[in-house]
mmCIF file of all heavy atoms in Angstrom:
data_model
loop_
_atom_site.group_PDB
_atom_site.id
_atom_site.type_symbol
_atom_site.label_atom_id
_atom_site.label_comp_id
_atom_site.label_asym_id
_atom_site.label_seq_id
_atom_site.Cartn_x
_atom_site.Cartn_y
_atom_site.Cartn_z
ATOM 1 N N ASN P 213 96.140 -24.979 155.997
ATOM 2 C CA ASN P 213 96.337 -24.357 154.654
ATOM 3 C C ASN P 213 95.336 -24.808 153.567
ATOM 4 O O ASN P 213 95.322 -24.172 152.528
ATOM 5 C CB ASN P 213 97.789 -24.566 154.133
ATOM 6 C CG ASN P 213 98.799 -23.928 154.992
ATOM 7 O OD1 ASN P 213 98.606 -22.816 155.616
ATOM 8 N ND2 ASN P 213 99.977 -24.494 155.173
ATOM 9 N N ASP P 214 94.696 -25.930 153.834
ATOM 10 C CA ASP P 214 93.920 -26.556 152.761
ATOM 11 C C ASP P 214 92.437 -26.640 153.066
ATOM 12 O O ASP P 214 91.692 -27.534 152.689
ATOM 13 C CB ASP P 214 94.418 -27.958 152.482
ATOM 14 C CG ASP P 214 94.376 -28.900 153.750
ATOM 15 O OD1 ASP P 214 94.191 -28.339 154.867
ATOM 16 O OD2 ASP P 214 94.588 -30.013 153.588
ATOM 17 N N VAL P 215 91.879 -25.695 153.960
ATOM 18 C CA VAL P 215 90.413 -25.726 154.186
ATOM 19 C C VAL P 215 89.654 -25.441 152.911
ATOM 20 O O VAL P 215 88.719 -26.141 152.577
ATOM 21 C CB VAL P 215 90.046 -24.655 155.334
ATOM 22 C CG1 VAL P 215 88.572 -24.569 155.526
ATOM 23 C CG2 VAL P 215 90.721 -25.152 156.611
ATOM 24 N N ALA P 216 90.198 -24.455 152.203
ATOM 25 C CA ALA P 216 89.573 -24.226 150.774
ATOM 26 C C ALA P 216 90.644 -24.756 149.839
ATOM 27 O O ALA P 216 91.833 -24.447 149.954
ATOM 28 C CB ALA P 216 89.355 -22.835 150.660
ATOM 29 N N GLY P 217 90.100 -25.490 148.843
ATOM 30 C CA GLY P 217 91.036 -25.976 147.902
ATOM 31 C C GLY P 217 90.429 -25.896 146.436
ATOM 32 O O GLY P 217 89.222 -26.048 146.217
ATOM 33 N N VAL P 218 91.424 -25.596 145.505
ATOM 34 C CA VAL P 218 91.029 -25.526 144.020
ATOM 35 C C VAL P 218 92.014 -26.488 143.217
ATOM 36 O O VAL P 218 93.191 -26.385 143.444
ATOM 37 C CB VAL P 218 91.070 -24.123 143.460
ATOM 38 C CG1 VAL P 218 90.908 -24.231 141.932
ATOM 39 C CG2 VAL P 218 90.187 -23.218 144.198
ATOM 40 N N ARG P 219 91.512 -27.445 142.560
ATOM 41 C CA ARG P 219 92.335 -28.389 141.811
ATOM 42 C C ARG P 219 92.159 -27.992 140.335
ATOM 43 O O ARG P 219 91.063 -27.904 139.747
ATOM 44 C CB ARG P 219 91.839 -29.797 141.984
ATOM 45 C CG ARG P 219 92.695 -30.778 141.233
ATOM 46 C CD ARG P 219 92.220 -32.220 141.435
ATOM 47 N NE ARG P 219 92.037 -32.563 142.858
ATOM 48 C CZ ARG P 219 91.248 -33.452 143.351
ATOM 49 N NH1 ARG P 219 90.544 -34.194 142.510
ATOM 50 N NH2 ARG P 219 91.157 -33.699 144.640
ATOM 51 N N VAL P 220 93.335 -27.840 139.648
ATOM 52 C CA VAL P 220 93.361 -27.532 138.242
ATOM 53 C C VAL P 220 94.084 -28.661 137.543
ATOM 54 O O VAL P 220 95.183 -29.044 137.813
ATOM 55 C CB VAL P 220 94.146 -26.205 137.977
ATOM 56 C CG1 VAL P 220 93.958 -25.762 136.506
ATOM 57 C CG2 VAL P 220 93.642 -25.019 138.827
ATOM 58 N N VAL P 221 93.368 -29.244 136.449
ATOM 59 C CA VAL P 221 93.848 -30.290 135.809
ATOM 60 C C VAL P 221 94.205 -29.925 134.415
ATOM 61 O O VAL P 221 93.370 -29.359 133.643
ATOM 62 C CB VAL P 221 92.838 -31.538 135.684
ATOM 63 C CG1 VAL P 221 93.387 -32.655 134.851
ATOM 64 C CG2 VAL P 221 92.602 -32.033 137.150
ATOM 65 N N CYS P 222 95.466 -30.051 133.984
ATOM 66 C CA CYS P 222 96.017 -29.628 132.702
ATOM 67 C C CYS P 222 96.307 -30.825 131.810
ATOM 68 O O CYS P 222 96.152 -31.926 132.140
ATOM 69 C CB CYS P 222 97.368 -28.931 132.961
ATOM 70 S SG CYS P 222 97.217 -27.428 134.007
ATOM 71 N N SER P 223 96.541 -30.446 130.530
ATOM 72 C CA SER P 223 96.732 -31.423 129.492
ATOM 73 C C SER P 223 98.140 -32.039 129.610
ATOM 74 O O SER P 223 98.358 -33.234 129.599
ATOM 75 C CB SER P 223 96.624 -30.822 128.077
ATOM 76 O OG SER P 223 95.339 -30.153 127.889
ATOM 77 N N PHE P 224 99.124 -31.150 129.793
ATOM 78 C CA PHE P 224 100.560 -31.599 129.815
ATOM 79 C C PHE P 224 101.313 -31.047 131.012
ATOM 80 O O PHE P 224 100.913 -30.048 131.570
ATOM 81 C CB PHE P 224 101.154 -31.148 128.487
ATOM 82 C CG PHE P 224 100.492 -31.579 127.261
ATOM 83 C CD1 PHE P 224 99.753 -30.692 126.487
ATOM 84 C CD2 PHE P 224 100.522 -32.968 126.846
ATOM 85 C CE1 PHE P 224 99.068 -31.124 125.375
ATOM 86 C CE2 PHE P 224 99.836 -33.309 125.689
ATOM 87 C CZ PHE P 224 99.077 -32.398 125.006
ATOM 88 N N THR P 225 102.406 -31.699 131.339
ATOM 89 C CA THR P 225 103.196 -31.181 132.453
ATOM 90 C C THR P 225 103.675 -29.836 132.222
ATOM 91 O O THR P 225 103.732 -29.027 133.153
ATOM 92 C CB THR P 225 104.366 -32.168 132.678
ATOM 93 O OG1 THR P 225 103.946 -33.550 132.742
ATOM 94 C CG2 THR P 225 105.138 -31.837 133.917
ATOM 95 N N SER P 226 104.131 -29.469 130.982
ATOM 96 C CA SER P 226 104.642 -28.164 130.730
ATOM 97 C C SER P 226 103.570 -27.086 131.087
ATOM 98 O O SER P 226 103.899 -25.924 131.391
ATOM 99 C CB SER P 226 105.088 -28.004 129.298
ATOM 100 O OG SER P 226 104.020 -28.344 128.440
ATOM 101 N N ASP P 227 102.286 -27.434 130.894
ATOM 102 C CA ASP P 227 101.219 -26.478 131.171
ATOM 103 C C ASP P 227 101.073 -26.119 132.668
ATOM 104 O O ASP P 227 100.718 -25.062 133.102
ATOM 105 C CB ASP P 227 99.783 -27.013 130.771
ATOM 106 C CG ASP P 227 99.685 -27.219 129.175
ATOM 107 O OD1 ASP P 227 100.370 -26.550 128.513
ATOM 108 O OD2 ASP P 227 98.951 -28.119 128.857
ATOM 109 N N ILE P 228 101.431 -27.074 133.509
ATOM 110 C CA ILE P 228 101.387 -26.943 134.878
ATOM 111 C C ILE P 228 102.258 -25.746 135.359
ATOM 112 O O ILE P 228 101.851 -24.812 136.089
ATOM 113 C CB ILE P 228 101.805 -28.164 135.751
ATOM 114 C CG1 ILE P 228 100.727 -29.248 135.444
ATOM 115 C CG2 ILE P 228 102.010 -27.861 137.177
ATOM 116 C CD1 ILE P 228 101.199 -30.619 135.951
ATOM 117 N N TYR P 229 103.554 -25.758 134.830
ATOM 118 C CA TYR P 229 104.562 -24.769 135.113
ATOM 119 C C TYR P 229 104.134 -23.399 134.552
ATOM 120 O O TYR P 229 104.334 -22.394 135.166
ATOM 121 C CB TYR P 229 105.929 -25.149 134.925
ATOM 122 C CG TYR P 229 106.343 -26.328 135.653
ATOM 123 C CD1 TYR P 229 106.270 -27.592 135.207
ATOM 124 C CD2 TYR P 229 106.746 -26.163 137.081
ATOM 125 C CE1 TYR P 229 106.623 -28.712 135.998
ATOM 126 C CE2 TYR P 229 107.093 -27.174 137.799
ATOM 127 C CZ TYR P 229 107.064 -28.510 137.336
ATOM 128 O OH TYR P 229 107.409 -29.586 138.062
ATOM 129 N N LYS P 230 103.606 -23.360 133.299
ATOM 130 C CA LYS P 230 103.169 -22.065 132.712
ATOM 131 C C LYS P 230 102.037 -21.503 133.538
ATOM 132 O O LYS P 230 102.017 -20.300 133.833
ATOM 133 C CB LYS P 230 102.612 -22.453 131.285
ATOM 134 C CG LYS P 230 103.687 -22.753 130.307
ATOM 135 C CD LYS P 230 103.062 -23.071 128.966
ATOM 136 C CE LYS P 230 104.131 -23.702 127.967
ATOM 137 N NZ LYS P 230 103.438 -24.170 126.715
ATOM 138 N N LEU P 231 101.114 -22.263 133.906
ATOM 139 C CA LEU P 231 99.922 -21.786 134.740
ATOM 140 C C LEU P 231 100.374 -21.357 136.090
ATOM 141 O O LEU P 231 99.936 -20.254 136.593
ATOM 142 C CB LEU P 231 98.928 -22.960 134.799
ATOM 143 C CG LEU P 231 97.608 -22.493 135.593
ATOM 144 C CD1 LEU P 231 96.935 -21.314 134.851
ATOM 145 C CD2 LEU P 231 96.664 -23.755 135.657
ATOM 146 N N ALA P 232 101.257 -22.100 136.812
ATOM 147 C CA ALA P 232 101.775 -21.674 138.071
ATOM 148 C C ALA P 232 102.490 -20.361 137.946
ATOM 149 O O ALA P 232 102.312 -19.498 138.949
ATOM 150 C CB ALA P 232 102.736 -22.814 138.650
ATOM 151 N N ASP P 233 103.284 -20.125 136.968
ATOM 152 C CA ASP P 233 103.894 -18.865 136.748
ATOM 153 C C ASP P 233 102.962 -17.653 136.620
ATOM 154 O O ASP P 233 103.057 -16.658 137.102
ATOM 155 C CB ASP P 233 104.849 -19.026 135.526
ATOM 156 C CG ASP P 233 105.716 -17.739 135.331
ATOM 157 O OD1 ASP P 233 106.433 -17.355 136.192
ATOM 158 O OD2 ASP P 233 105.480 -17.083 134.201
ATOM 159 N N MET P 234 101.861 -17.951 135.830
ATOM 160 C CA MET P 234 100.872 -16.933 135.543
ATOM 161 C C MET P 234 100.091 -16.603 136.905
ATOM 162 O O MET P 234 99.818 -15.409 137.138
ATOM 163 C CB MET P 234 99.804 -17.448 134.467
ATOM 164 C CG MET P 234 100.371 -17.536 133.146
ATOM 165 S SD MET P 234 99.352 -18.531 132.012
ATOM 166 C CE MET P 234 97.961 -17.418 131.824
ATOM 167 N N ILE P 235 99.814 -17.607 137.665
ATOM 168 C CA ILE P 235 99.100 -17.482 138.904
ATOM 169 C C ILE P 235 99.984 -16.594 139.844
ATOM 170 O O ILE P 235 99.505 -15.626 140.568
ATOM 171 C CB ILE P 235 98.691 -18.715 139.570
ATOM 172 C CG1 ILE P 235 97.620 -19.400 138.708
ATOM 173 C CG2 ILE P 235 98.274 -18.609 140.902
ATOM 174 C CD1 ILE P 235 97.342 -20.856 139.151
ATOM 175 N N GLY P 236 101.349 -16.920 139.852
ATOM 176 C CA GLY P 236 102.202 -16.198 140.772
ATOM 177 C C GLY P 236 102.422 -14.773 140.418
ATOM 178 O O GLY P 236 102.811 -13.912 141.240
ATOM 179 N N LYS P 237 102.079 -14.360 139.128
ATOM 180 C CA LYS P 237 102.134 -12.950 138.819
ATOM 181 C C LYS P 237 100.906 -12.123 138.929
ATOM 182 O O LYS P 237 100.917 -10.929 138.651
ATOM 183 C CB LYS P 237 102.590 -12.879 137.337
ATOM 184 C CG LYS P 237 104.016 -13.390 137.027
ATOM 185 C CD LYS P 237 104.323 -13.383 135.614
ATOM 186 C CE LYS P 237 105.698 -13.912 135.298
ATOM 187 N NZ LYS P 237 105.979 -13.938 133.866
ATOM 188 N N GLN P 238 99.845 -12.667 139.576
ATOM 189 C CA GLN P 238 98.614 -11.925 139.839
ATOM 190 C C GLN P 238 98.794 -10.893 141.046
ATOM 191 O O GLN P 238 99.337 -11.326 142.076
ATOM 192 C CB GLN P 238 97.515 -12.925 140.273
ATOM 193 C CG GLN P 238 97.096 -13.804 139.062
ATOM 194 C CD GLN P 238 96.409 -13.150 137.970
ATOM 195 O OE1 GLN P 238 95.354 -12.586 138.017
ATOM 196 N NE2 GLN P 238 97.177 -13.104 136.835
ATOM 197 N N ALA P 239 98.528 -9.718 140.762
ATOM 198 C CA ALA P 239 98.820 -8.639 141.705
ATOM 199 C C ALA P 239 98.095 -8.776 143.008
ATOM 200 O O ALA P 239 98.673 -8.471 144.089
ATOM 201 C CB ALA P 239 98.466 -7.300 141.089
ATOM 202 N N ASP P 240 96.894 -9.243 142.998
ATOM 203 C CA ASP P 240 96.059 -9.277 144.210
ATOM 204 C C ASP P 240 96.044 -10.693 144.862
ATOM 205 O O ASP P 240 95.101 -11.172 145.495
ATOM 206 C CB ASP P 240 94.602 -8.736 144.126
ATOM 207 C CG ASP P 240 93.868 -9.539 143.036
ATOM 208 O OD1 ASP P 240 94.570 -10.252 142.265
ATOM 209 O OD2 ASP P 240 92.645 -9.431 142.953
ATOM 210 N N LEU P 241 97.097 -11.473 144.591
ATOM 211 C CA LEU P 241 97.174 -12.842 145.089
ATOM 212 C C LEU P 241 98.598 -13.112 145.557
ATOM 213 O O LEU P 241 99.601 -12.632 144.845
ATOM 214 C CB LEU P 241 96.781 -13.772 144.034
ATOM 215 C CG LEU P 241 96.839 -15.335 144.237
ATOM 216 C CD1 LEU P 241 95.857 -16.055 143.348
ATOM 217 C CD2 LEU P 241 98.258 -15.871 144.110
ATOM 218 N N THR P 242 98.789 -13.544 146.713
ATOM 219 C CA THR P 242 100.196 -13.824 147.269
ATOM 220 C C THR P 242 100.468 -15.321 147.453
ATOM 221 O O THR P 242 99.621 -16.031 148.082
ATOM 222 C CB THR P 242 100.326 -13.109 148.606
ATOM 223 O OG1 THR P 242 99.928 -11.730 148.571
ATOM 224 C CG2 THR P 242 101.692 -13.305 149.202
ATOM 225 N N VAL P 243 101.548 -15.689 146.832
ATOM 226 C CA VAL P 243 101.931 -17.072 146.991
ATOM 227 C C VAL P 243 102.812 -17.192 148.282
ATOM 228 O O VAL P 243 103.801 -16.534 148.410
ATOM 229 C CB VAL P 243 102.842 -17.560 145.816
ATOM 230 C CG1 VAL P 243 103.305 -19.070 145.994
ATOM 231 C CG2 VAL P 243 102.035 -17.435 144.507
ATOM 232 N N VAL P 244 102.398 -18.063 149.251
ATOM 233 C CA VAL P 244 103.019 -18.191 150.533
ATOM 234 C C VAL P 244 103.874 -19.474 150.684
ATOM 235 O O VAL P 244 104.706 -19.522 151.490
ATOM 236 C CB VAL P 244 102.040 -17.988 151.674
ATOM 237 C CG1 VAL P 244 101.472 -16.651 151.626
ATOM 238 C CG2 VAL P 244 100.974 -19.062 151.638
ATOM 239 N N ALA P 245 103.515 -20.374 149.806
ATOM 240 C CA ALA P 245 104.244 -21.708 149.841
ATOM 241 C C ALA P 245 104.089 -22.459 148.532
ATOM 242 O O ALA P 245 103.007 -22.337 147.900
ATOM 243 C CB ALA P 245 103.792 -22.556 151.016
ATOM 244 N N ILE P 246 105.157 -23.100 148.135
ATOM 245 C CA ILE P 246 105.061 -24.036 146.928
ATOM 246 C C ILE P 246 105.635 -25.402 147.349
ATOM 247 O O ILE P 246 106.721 -25.468 147.978
ATOM 248 C CB ILE P 246 105.838 -23.440 145.846
ATOM 249 C CG1 ILE P 246 105.141 -22.208 145.202
ATOM 250 C CG2 ILE P 246 106.019 -24.498 144.612
ATOM 251 C CD1 ILE P 246 105.991 -21.473 144.166
ATOM 252 N N LYS P 247 104.944 -26.487 146.883
ATOM 253 C CA LYS P 247 105.596 -27.822 147.025
ATOM 254 C C LYS P 247 105.479 -28.466 145.635
ATOM 255 O O LYS P 247 104.340 -28.724 145.245
ATOM 256 C CB LYS P 247 104.799 -28.584 148.066
ATOM 257 C CG LYS P 247 104.997 -28.123 149.541
ATOM 258 C CD LYS P 247 104.379 -28.997 150.628
ATOM 259 C CE LYS P 247 104.666 -28.475 152.012
ATOM 260 N NZ LYS P 247 103.966 -29.312 152.984
ATOM 261 N N ASP P 248 106.569 -28.735 145.113
ATOM 262 C CA ASP P 248 106.566 -29.457 143.741
ATOM 263 C C ASP P 248 106.673 -30.934 143.855
ATOM 264 O O ASP P 248 107.915 -31.491 144.012
ATOM 265 C CB ASP P 248 107.717 -28.828 142.949
ATOM 266 C CG ASP P 248 107.650 -29.257 141.510
ATOM 267 O OD1 ASP P 248 106.976 -30.292 141.198
ATOM 268 O OD2 ASP P 248 108.327 -28.617 140.648
ATOM 269 N N TYR P 249 105.626 -31.634 144.038
ATOM 270 C CA TYR P 249 105.615 -33.099 144.060
ATOM 271 C C TYR P 249 105.773 -33.744 142.767
ATOM 272 O O TYR P 249 105.645 -34.925 142.606
ATOM 273 C CB TYR P 249 104.348 -33.628 144.785
ATOM 274 C CG TYR P 249 104.192 -33.129 146.194
ATOM 275 C CD1 TYR P 249 103.270 -32.387 146.660
ATOM 276 C CD2 TYR P 249 105.146 -33.484 147.232
ATOM 277 C CE1 TYR P 249 103.080 -31.965 147.985
ATOM 278 C CE2 TYR P 249 105.079 -33.112 148.520
ATOM 279 C CZ TYR P 249 104.017 -32.302 148.855
ATOM 280 O OH TYR P 249 103.821 -31.914 150.151
ATOM 281 N N ILE P 250 105.921 -32.909 141.636
ATOM 282 C CA ILE P 250 106.267 -33.542 140.329
ATOM 283 C C ILE P 250 107.754 -33.866 140.290
ATOM 284 O O ILE P 250 108.157 -34.896 139.859
ATOM 285 C CB ILE P 250 105.727 -32.621 139.223
ATOM 286 C CG1 ILE P 250 104.299 -32.378 139.310
ATOM 287 C CG2 ILE P 250 106.195 -33.176 137.891
ATOM 288 C CD1 ILE P 250 103.728 -31.290 138.377
ATOM 289 N N LYS P 251 108.562 -32.814 140.625
ATOM 290 C CA LYS P 251 109.992 -33.022 140.597
ATOM 291 C C LYS P 251 110.549 -33.799 141.792
ATOM 292 O O LYS P 251 111.414 -34.581 141.689
ATOM 293 C CB LYS P 251 110.684 -31.665 140.640
ATOM 294 C CG LYS P 251 110.519 -30.838 139.314
ATOM 295 C CD LYS P 251 111.208 -29.500 139.422
ATOM 296 C CE LYS P 251 111.056 -28.688 138.108
ATOM 297 N NZ LYS P 251 111.648 -27.402 138.191
ATOM 298 N N ARG P 252 109.772 -33.812 142.880
ATOM 299 C CA ARG P 252 110.053 -34.559 144.042
ATOM 300 C C ARG P 252 108.833 -35.235 144.543
ATOM 301 O O ARG P 252 108.160 -34.695 145.531
ATOM 302 C CB ARG P 252 110.670 -33.572 145.152
ATOM 303 C CG ARG P 252 112.018 -32.950 144.850
ATOM 304 C CD ARG P 252 112.474 -32.004 145.794
ATOM 305 N NE ARG P 252 111.657 -30.824 145.802
ATOM 306 C CZ ARG P 252 111.661 -29.881 145.039
ATOM 307 N NH1 ARG P 252 112.627 -29.836 144.005
ATOM 308 N NH2 ARG P 252 110.935 -28.791 145.106
ATOM 309 N N PRO P 253 108.463 -36.347 143.978
ATOM 310 C CA PRO P 253 107.215 -37.098 144.356
ATOM 311 C C PRO P 253 107.299 -37.547 145.825
ATOM 312 O O PRO P 253 108.330 -37.724 146.359
ATOM 313 C CB PRO P 253 107.127 -38.262 143.373
ATOM 314 C CG PRO P 253 108.040 -37.922 142.307
ATOM 315 C CD PRO P 253 109.101 -37.048 142.912
ATOM 316 N N LYS P 254 106.049 -37.681 146.339
ATOM 317 C CA LYS P 254 105.980 -38.297 147.697
ATOM 318 C C LYS P 254 106.389 -39.775 147.635
ATOM 319 O O LYS P 254 106.457 -40.366 146.529
ATOM 320 C CB LYS P 254 104.586 -38.179 148.315
ATOM 321 C CG LYS P 254 104.045 -36.746 148.578
ATOM 322 C CD LYS P 254 102.692 -36.774 149.229
ATOM 323 C CE LYS P 254 102.348 -35.454 149.588
ATOM 324 N NZ LYS P 254 100.966 -35.384 150.249
ATOM 325 N N GLU P 255 106.684 -40.354 148.787
ATOM 326 C CA GLU P 255 107.139 -41.796 148.862
ATOM 327 C C GLU P 255 106.104 -42.660 148.244
ATOM 328 O O GLU P 255 106.425 -43.663 147.613
ATOM 329 C CB GLU P 255 107.436 -42.147 150.224
ATOM 330 C CG GLU P 255 108.039 -43.539 150.407
ATOM 331 C CD GLU P 255 108.339 -43.877 151.845
ATOM 332 O OE1 GLU P 255 108.274 -42.959 152.754
ATOM 333 O OE2 GLU P 255 108.699 -45.115 152.104
ATOM 334 N N SER P 256 104.817 -42.341 148.291
ATOM 335 C CA SER P 256 103.706 -43.163 147.825
ATOM 336 C C SER P 256 103.694 -43.175 146.277
ATOM 337 O O SER P 256 103.163 -43.941 145.594
ATOM 338 C CB SER P 256 102.373 -42.656 148.321
ATOM 339 O OG SER P 256 102.166 -41.380 147.789
ATOM 340 N N GLY P 257 104.409 -42.175 145.676
ATOM 341 C CA GLY P 257 104.292 -42.015 144.175
ATOM 342 C C GLY P 257 103.466 -40.822 143.751
ATOM 343 O O GLY P 257 103.381 -40.518 142.528
#
């Protein structure tokens, strides 16, 4: 799933969810999976 990757760095945590919501509403883009490691961090942190 990660051969091609785009990293977006935001100012605040609230911006992350606003942007994710905007991306999910794009007509010619399909969200197939979401992993929220902010609410549920990996064991490493």
Side-chain angles (χ1 to χ4, degrees):
N213 294 327
D214 60 347
V215 174
V218 176
R219 183 184 306 159
V220 186
V221 177
C222 298
S223 306
F224 305 105
T225 307
S226 57
D227 293 332
I228 294 173
Y229 293 101
K230 289 176 188 173
L231 183 60
D233 183 61
M234 291 166 68
I235 291 169
K237 291 177 179 176
Q238 295 293 292
D240 60 342
L241 181 154
T242 303
V243 179
V244 296
I246 290 174
K247 291 184 179 179
D248 190 343
Y249 294 117
I250 299 171
K251 292 179 179 176
R252 293 175 294 278
K254 291 186 179 182
E255 186 178 349
S256 65

